[in-house]
Amino acid sequence: MSEPDAAPAGSAPASSNLVMRVAAAIVLAPLAIALAYAGGWLWAFLVTLVSIGLFAEWLMVVGATAVALTGTGTIVLAIMGFCVAFGALKLAVIIGCIGGAVIVLLAGGKRVWAASGFAYAAAALLASILARQDPVDGFAALMFVLLVVWATDIGGYFAGRGIGGPKLWPRVSPKKTWAGALGGFAASLVVAAGFAAGGLGKAVPLLLVSAILSVVSQLGDLFESAVKRRFGVKDSSHLIPGHGGLMDRLDGFVAAILMAWIIGFLRHGVHSAGSGLMVW
């Protein structure tokens, strides 16, 4: 999620944008949390729908909007989501590899970009579902990642708008400032401290993990901005009021959940990644 353009405090455009952001968050955040808590096929269904949306938006951004390409990706991601939800991870990976190869064949001159978009959506799907499937700490791990990303976004928004100052990487994202990046980073540490205070993990490891996820989240945001700038696109879509599209809203989460799953996987294996992230 990007910081707002510099504008005088209390200006109508900035205020209107903030109201839309808050309204969208009030509707979407409780839904995401409820389905994350439910887990199982309900969470997998939401993740699969979102992953399909991410792939479709990516194709629109890079100008590869052939119906066959979008349709193939949609079918493959839907099958992958179904397989992972019901415990057939190996089959999901095999189908994903075959589907990715078909997408490359169908993409013509956009092969690299189409394949990258499919990998992006498939990684988001697998990491989001697998992290939640940990029977012990799946929900805690997922909420930790979500809250770190949200805190990074919110802290970055208000620090960037309130403090301003030097730009972080103006060629890629002219709205982002160093103040916003540091504000988001600091806000993510508050989340880690809250989890530790609530007995949901040890303070030092959670602070370190939170720091990593916050930085990765911001890098994911910059990556998406770089892709859009490469193709001269401002928003991936206008699906979410005040936020743009799914890519605009979830760029940081996709990067963070993938990193979170990798950390958990390296420590406790494929199906206990939640514990691997939270228990040190």
Side-chain angles (χ1 to χ4, degrees):
M1 185 174 69
S2 301
E3 293 171 27
D5 289 310
S11 63
S15 298
S16 176
N17 182 263
L18 179 59
V19 169
M20 287 192 294
R21 284 172 180 256
V22 172
I26 289 173
V27 173
L28 297 177
L31 174 62
I33 293 171
L35 293 181
Y37 179 77
W41 71 267
L42 286 172
W43 174 247
F45 180 70
L46 174 64
V47 169
T48 301
L49 285 181
V50 169
S51 299
I52 290 169
L54 288 173
F55 181 62
E57 286 189 356
W58 180 288
L59 293 181
M60 288 190 290
V61 168
V62 304
T65 54
V67 174
L69 195 58
T70 305
T72 299
T74 296
I75 293 169
V76 173
L77 288 169
I79 295 173
M80 288 179 66
F82 180 85
C83 289
V84 180
F86 292 98
L89 176 59
K90 291 182 180 179
L91 180 59
V93 172
I94 292 170
I95 290 171
C97 291
I98 295 172
V102 173
I103 285 170
V104 168
L105 293 175
L106 293 173
K110 298 283 187 177
R111 286 188 178 93
V112 173
W113 287 106
S116 299
F118 179 74
Y120 182 82
L125 183 150
L126 292 173
S128 299
I129 297 176
L130 289 172
R132 178 62 185 90
Q133 282 183 338
D134 184 319
V136 179
D137 293 297
F139 178 64
L142 186 57
M143 287 307 304
F144 182 72
V145 177
L146 282 169
L147 290 173
V148 165
V149 172
W150 289 345
T152 299
D153 282 350
I154 294 168
Y157 182 96
F158 286 105
R161 182 178 176 183
I163 301 172
K167 302 299 182 182
L168 180 61
W169 194 355
R171 191 177 72 175
V172 169
S173 184
K175 300 176 183 179
K176 293 190 179 302
T177 63
W178 280 101
L182 294 174
F185 181 83
S188 75
L189 299 182
V190 174
V191 172
F195 269 70
L200 296 174
K202 296 180 180 179
V204 173
L206 286 184
L207 286 168
L208 290 174
V209 171
S210 176
I212 292 169
L213 296 183
S214 180
V215 171
V216 169
S217 170
Q218 296 190 57
L219 290 175
D221 195 339
L222 288 171
F223 168 73
E224 193 243 4
S225 295
V227 172
K228 291 191 298 183
R229 183 161 291 274
R230 166 67 174 76
F231 291 94
V233 175
K234 184 179 184 298
D235 295 319
S236 60
S237 77
H238 300 287
L239 182 64
I240 307 173
H243 293 286
L246 291 170
M247 283 178 62
D248 301 312
R249 189 64 191 93
L250 298 174
D251 45 14
F253 173 75
V254 171
I257 193 63
L258 181 58
M259 176 58 71
W261 183 81
I262 290 172
I263 293 171
F265 163 71
L266 290 176
R267 297 194 68 242
H268 285 186
V270 174
H271 299 294
S272 298
S275 298
L277 187 72
M278 302 301 295
V279 180
W280 297 76

